[in-house]
Amino acid sequence: MFKELQLKGKYSELADKFREKANENMFLLAKYSDANGKDLWGCICSAMDWIDVGVQYIENFQPPDRHGLQSCMEIFSFVMAIDFTYEAIKSLFWVLQKNGKDSKRGHTPFHQNKGCFSAARNRSITDDHFFKEIRSCCGAHPTNLNTFIADNQSDERQRRYASWTFFESVSSFNIMLYPESITGQTITVEIPYSELIEYFEQRFDYLNILIERIDELYKAFVKEKAKEIIPKSDNPLEQLDFLKVANEQRLKNEYYNEIINQLACFFNTDFEDEENSDIIKNYRSSLLLGIEELYNNIQSLDYKDLIIDKFLNPQTIDAGYFRYEFAALSGRVLSGIYKPFDFKILAEPLKEVVSLHNVHTEEEFYWLIVIALNRIAENYR
């Protein structure tokens, strides 16, 4: 019985596993967003989305147990869920195994498989081909068939017309085919659900192979990119420019790009208040070490969390509306989002930690607050 197959939750775990692998390190986004002049990352995303749709429908499908026209649509929807899920896997195969180079999707590893369907009298017909015949009969174009499904082992197609699908048990459904030839016979073909599930699972399990393929591609990508030595410079701003370009050419990591932008903002800031020179010098030394950390990680494509992050984004203090005002100032300096902020609310709690008497720009004010917060958090001495 079909219900005894217990499909609930059987396939979604693998679909989720593939999606997690596809989004890991954003490697596929970097590699395929511009591959041979095509945005194949969009193809990957589309495939994953429709796999989710198909898997959810298949897992929740219950064979209709009442005769009626509605049952025809339910069976057709089940067949189509298998169909477009397999088409999505074909697209993933085309991108990940063929690199999207062929104008046509070409053959998958299953294109010559046979044996899933007991109703295939002609043993030269592949499972893929016979499944397309089932799809056509169940609703794709049932009134215009040129089919290999027959009551004999003929290799010739026959013009036929399908009636609505019906069933005698919940383990299978039947397709009735009328002949166009006046000498032909009306035939009925039984399609067990278990055979459709076997056909589906053979193809769906290929996601495991594609997960391994992503790992192979990533290792090769890392090996290749690690050979490209990032230039070095004693000038912090020039070094950050080199790192920004290298990150874009590697994994386009948004987190690392944000850190680079923050560092560039600091090194572009002029500090006028000489009372702060010592603490600025100490903070600058910490950021220079952070640039070296960035260099090593991007060079080796080891995109892990950065130690420098805590220096650039220290914990704020719980003092009235300080956090709100600091967020407004941060938005103005780092993102160009111009919200008003209150200078006094930000300056008053920090007046014993850093001098804010001779501040000329919002950038200088922002970074002096960051330095003060670091000192309070004891990130450095």
Side-chain angles (χ1 to χ4, degrees), residues 194-212:
S194 59
E195 294 181 358
L196 284 168
I197 288 299
E198 179 185 358
Y199 172 83
F200 169 73
E201 288 183 349
Q202 287 179 0
R203 286 142 185 81
F204 186 72
D205 286 347
Y206 191 72
L207 286 179
N208 284 309
I209 303 298
L210 292 176
I211 288 172
E212 293 176 1

Side-chain angles (χ1 to χ4, degrees), residues 325-344:
E325 300 298 334
F326 184 62
L329 176 61
S330 175
R332 293 170 71 98
V333 172
L334 299 178
S335 304
I337 301 172
Y338 293 98
K339 291 184 178 180
F341 68 92
D342 191 309
F343 181 92
K344 290 184 178 181

